[in-house]
């Protein structure tokens, strides 16, 4: 027991503890009177919820961000999104590099864990590139949005809106401050047919959701003319989910929420609502008014989520791809899961199955709990829980009406979704001993 407590802190433990500290600091700041427009303290449970949704880059809100919080409060939320999206270890590395501090081996291990990087070699150089890419993309997005919004508001306000939403969408948080312009909880529904807003926001969601490993390889592609198996699987699977989701949403909603829109508006909306569930969190259509088929499709997309090494949640597109590959291999009577003429190790398949099973169990458990405590229908509860787990932030309108117990449950789901079920499991049980023996093989009938 003594040896357990004196042992070095594992990477999953430091990541979990770091996020908890960030959320608590954010909760205290957001509960101050200075953080609200009317100068009245926000109830701590609501401040705690907002700090969690910002740090876990989810986007579910119990109060409208733009109308409830002051510039100070919005700045706190902006910083929480930035730190939560890039990872607090990445931001700590930024300051360490600025002050020319040496990065220790233990800190390099923490960085490797936080970025889901496959190798410890060159991790500091990789983090430096991540910071450059992230700030460059966020700056470009902020300027493009500011130029567009400067047509309807003063440029300094347009720039402020541009910076906030560029960081929010790139980190896949999905929080918005459009409330003062278009009313609370409306997200980007008033820009449903605006090509500039739609394209810029979709690009920010895409670039923030594919993961920094893939992003680095895309940028290096003109030079090296080669992509890793990981990047090929991420890009191909993401593309199929994006286009497939858009086509289905176009069909399901053509005579419903898409009906009053022009053809370009229908296309923008279908594409936007297809990419946003992949952890983006913003919406240009009213989710509550969609057909049940469309809402259930969004649940599936939110469950799959973004890519490893990004701020997005869900089981991740690589996990989904491995599951599909395993099913196809089993049906075809093949022993190996093969992608792009490369065989996957058995432990990758086992890990994908474990992540999926634990994720489904988590969503089922919390859906049952909230179905018993919240006065609404089952699909709405399941949508909200999956959105929290996938750190997506799309809502059918339940979140602002949650009971205090319901808020605590969603806070817990958001935290689990951001950290990942296995990371939390490794936090609680960090010491894994290798088996010294194997039991005799047995057989169980399946199917």
């Amino acid at each position: 027991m003594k040896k357990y407590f004196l042992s070095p802190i594992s990477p999953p433990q430091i990541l979990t503890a770091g996020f908890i500290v960030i959320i608590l600091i954010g909760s205290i700041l957001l509960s101050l009177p200075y953080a609200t427009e009317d100068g009245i303290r926000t109830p701590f449970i609501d401040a705690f919820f907002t700090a969690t949704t910002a740090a876990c880059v989810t986007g579910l809100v119990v109060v409208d961000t733009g109308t409830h919080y002051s510039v100070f409060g919005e700045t706190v939320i902006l910083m929480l999104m930035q730190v939560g999206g890039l990872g607090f270890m990445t931001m700590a590395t930024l300051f360490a590099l600025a002050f020319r501090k040496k990065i220790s081996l233990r800190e390099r291990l923490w960085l490797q864990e936080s970025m889901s990087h496959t190798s410890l070699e060159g991790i500091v150089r990789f983090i430096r590139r991540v910071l450059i890419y992230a700030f460059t993309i966020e700056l470009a997005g902020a300027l493009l949005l500011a130029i567009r919004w400067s047509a309807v508001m003063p440029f300094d306000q347009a720039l402020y809106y541009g910076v906030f939403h560029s960081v929010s969408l790139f980190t896949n948080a999905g929080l918005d401050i459009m409330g003062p312009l278009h009313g609370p909880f409306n997200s980007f529904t008033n820009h449903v047919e605006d090509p500039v807003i739609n394209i810029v926001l979709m690009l920010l969601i895409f670039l923030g959701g594919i993961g920094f490993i893939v992003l680095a390889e895309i940028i290096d592609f003109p030079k090296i003319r080669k992509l890793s198996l990981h990047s090929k699987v991420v890009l191909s699977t993401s593309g199929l989910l994006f286009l497939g989701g858009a086509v289905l949403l176009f069909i399901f909603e053509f005579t419903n929420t898409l009906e009053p829109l022009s053809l370009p508006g229908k296309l923008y909306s279908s594409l936007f609502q297809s990419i946003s569930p992949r952890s983006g969190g913003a919406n240009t259509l009213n989710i509550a008014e969609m057909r049940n088929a469309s809402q259930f499709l969004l649940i599936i997309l939110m469950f799959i989520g973004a890519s490893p090494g990004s701020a997005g949640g869900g089981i991740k597109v690589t996990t989904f791809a491995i599951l599909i590959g395993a099913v196809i291999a089993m049906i075809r009577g093949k022993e190996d899961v093969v992608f792009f003429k490369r065989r996957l190790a058995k432990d990758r398949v086992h890990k994908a199955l474990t992540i999926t099973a634990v994720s489904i169990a988590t969503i089922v458990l919390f859906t049952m709990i909230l179905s018993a405590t919240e006065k609404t229908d089952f699909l709405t509860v399941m949508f909200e829980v999956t959105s929290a787990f996938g750190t997506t932030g799309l809502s059918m309108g339940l979140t602002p009406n949650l009971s205090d117990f319901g808020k605590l449950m969603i806070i817990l789901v958001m935290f689990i979704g951001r950290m990942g079920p296995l990371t939390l499991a490794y936090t609680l049980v960090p010491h894994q001993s290798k088996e010294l023996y194997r039991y005799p093989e047995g057989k169980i009938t399946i199917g």
Side-chain angles (χ1 to χ4, degrees), residues 57 78 81-82 85 137-138 141-142 145 149 161-178 187-188 197-210 272 275-284 311-312 392 394:
V57 288
L78 178 66
M81 291 189 299
Q82 187 72 87
I137 292 169
E138 288 175 349
L145 292 173
W149 278 322
Y161 271 59
V163 170
F164 188 96
H165 292 107
S166 182
V167 172
S168 178
L169 273 296
F170 179 73
T171 59
N172 281 196
L175 290 163
D176 71 90
I177 51 174
M178 304 303 294
S187 193
F188 296 95
I197 299 296
N198 275 270
I199 292 171
V200 172
L201 294 185
M202 282 192 286
L203 282 173
L204 287 169
I205 293 171
F206 171 75
L207 293 173
I210 59 172
F272 195 97
I275 198 171
S276 189
R278 308 282 308 293
S279 210
N283 58 285
T284 57
T392 304
L394 294 177

Side-chain angles (χ1 to χ4, degrees), residues 368-405:
M368 285 195 295
I369 293 172
L370 289 174
S371 292
T373 62
E374 309 304 311
K375 297 177 181 178
T376 188
D377 62 280
F378 174 78
L379 185 62
T380 300
V381 172
M382 187 178 183
F383 191 99
E384 224 77 3
V385 171
T386 308
S387 180
F389 178 80
T391 67
T392 304
L394 294 177
S395 175
M396 290 173 61
L398 174 62
T399 305
N401 303 311
L402 287 169
S403 63
D404 285 350
F405 179 78

Side-chain angles (χ1 to χ4, degrees), residues 11-29:
Q13 286 176 327
I14 193 67
L15 293 176
T16 302
F19 267 98
I20 291 173
V21 170
I22 291 167
I23 290 169
L24 290 176
I25 293 173
S27 302
I28 294 169
L29 293 175

Side-chain angles (χ1 to χ4, degrees), residues 116-163:
S116 299
H117 204 262
T118 55
S119 172
L120 194 62
E121 184 181 356
I123 187 65
V124 175
R125 185 168 62 252
F126 176 72
I127 294 297
R128 189 183 290 113
R129 294 182 68 185
V130 165
L131 291 167
I132 293 171
Y133 296 158
F135 293 141
T136 301
I137 292 169
E138 288 175 349
L139 178 61
L143 290 175
L144 290 171
L145 292 173
I147 292 169
R148 172 63 188 89
W149 278 322
S150 64
V152 295
M153 62 180 74
F155 186 76
D156 57 340
Q157 184 184 4
L159 184 60
Y160 175 68
Y161 271 59
V163 170

Side-chain angles (χ1 to χ4, degrees), residues 24-350:
L24 290 176
I25 293 173
S27 302
I28 294 169
L29 293 175
L30 290 175
S31 63
L32 297 174
Y34 309 108
T36 61
E37 282 285 0
D38 55 14
I40 300 175
R41 281 181 176 273
T42 301
F44 187 78
I45 183 66
D46 291 344
F48 186 32
F49 192 102
T50 304
T52 305
T53 198
C56 294
V57 288
T58 303
L60 291 173
V61 289
V62 290
V63 294
D64 181 70
T65 308
T67 55
H68 181 81
Y69 290 104
S70 63
V71 173
F72 171 78
E74 290 170 359
T75 303
V76 171
I77 292 170
L78 178 66
M79 297 305 296
L80 287 171
M81 291 189 299
Q82 187 72 87
V83 175
L86 295 182
F88 76 95
M89 280 303 303
T90 304
M91 300 303 293
T93 304
L94 171 63
F95 290 104
L97 293 173
F99 290 102
R100 300 183 181 279
K101 180 182 176 296
K102 185 175 177 60
I103 310 297
S104 68
L105 177 60
R106 181 179 296 181
E107 290 165 343
R108 291 168 193 262
L109 288 170
W110 292 342
L111 286 170
Q112 182 187 9
E113 177 74 20
S114 67
M115 298 305 296
S116 299
H117 204 262
T118 55
S119 172
L120 194 62
E121 184 181 356
I123 187 65
V124 175
R125 185 168 62 252
F126 176 72
I127 294 297
R128 189 183 290 113
R129 294 182 68 185
V130 165
L131 291 167
I132 293 171
Y133 296 158
F135 293 141
T136 301
I137 292 169
E138 288 175 349
L139 178 61
L143 290 175
L144 290 171
L145 292 173
I147 292 169
R148 172 63 188 89
W149 278 322
S150 64
V152 295
M153 62 180 74
F155 186 76
D156 57 340
Q157 184 184 4
L159 184 60
Y160 175 68
Y161 271 59
V163 170
F164 188 96
H165 292 107
S166 182
V167 172
S168 178
L169 273 296
F170 179 73
T171 59
N172 281 196
L175 290 163
D176 71 90
I177 51 174
M178 304 303 294
L181 298 180
H182 307 306
F185 306 110
N186 273 327
S187 193
F188 296 95
T189 52
N190 286 73
H191 296 285
V192 64
E193 298 201 65
D194 189 314
V196 176
I197 299 296
N198 275 270
I199 292 171
V200 172
L201 294 185
M202 282 192 286
L203 282 173
L204 287 169
I205 293 171
F206 171 75
L207 293 173
I210 59 172
F212 291 108
I213 298 171
V214 180
L215 185 60
E217 289 193 19
I218 291 175
I219 293 173
D220 290 341
F221 184 75
K223 230 189 303 184
I224 61 177
R225 295 288 175 182
K226 189 173 68 172
L227 290 175
S228 67
L229 176 62
H230 170 79
S231 294
K232 289 177 183 178
V233 171
V234 166
L235 293 173
S236 58
T237 308
S238 297
L240 288 172
L241 289 170
F242 175 47
L243 295 176
V247 170
L248 289 175
L249 286 170
F250 186 86
I251 295 170
F252 293 156
E253 295 298 315
F254 191 81
T255 57
N256 189 33
T257 55
L258 296 179
E259 190 171 20
L261 305 178
S262 64
L263 181 59
K266 288 181 172 67
L267 293 174
Y268 292 142
S269 300
S270 301
L271 292 169
F272 195 97
Q273 264 60 230
S274 178
I275 198 171
S276 189
R278 308 282 308 293
S279 210
N283 58 285
T284 57
L285 295 176
N286 190 326
I287 305 298
E289 293 177 356
M290 286 182 164
R291 291 195 168 101
N292 287 349
S294 301
Q295 293 166 346
F296 192 70
L297 173 62
L298 295 183
I299 287 175
I300 295 171
L301 292 175
M302 291 190 297
F303 179 73
I304 296 171
S307 306
S310 72
I315 63 170
K316 304 295 190 292
V317 294
T318 47
T319 302
F320 175 72
I322 291 172
L323 290 176
I324 298 300
V327 170
I328 293 173
M330 179 65 69
I331 291 173
R332 296 177 61 189
K334 305 291 185 182
E335 186 176 342
D336 297 321
V337 177
V338 178
F339 292 126
F340 299 98
K341 299 182 179 180
R342 290 291 184 273
R343 172 176 54 84
L344 293 186
K346 296 291 184 184
D347 70 304
R348 299 293 91 188
V349 180
H350 294 160

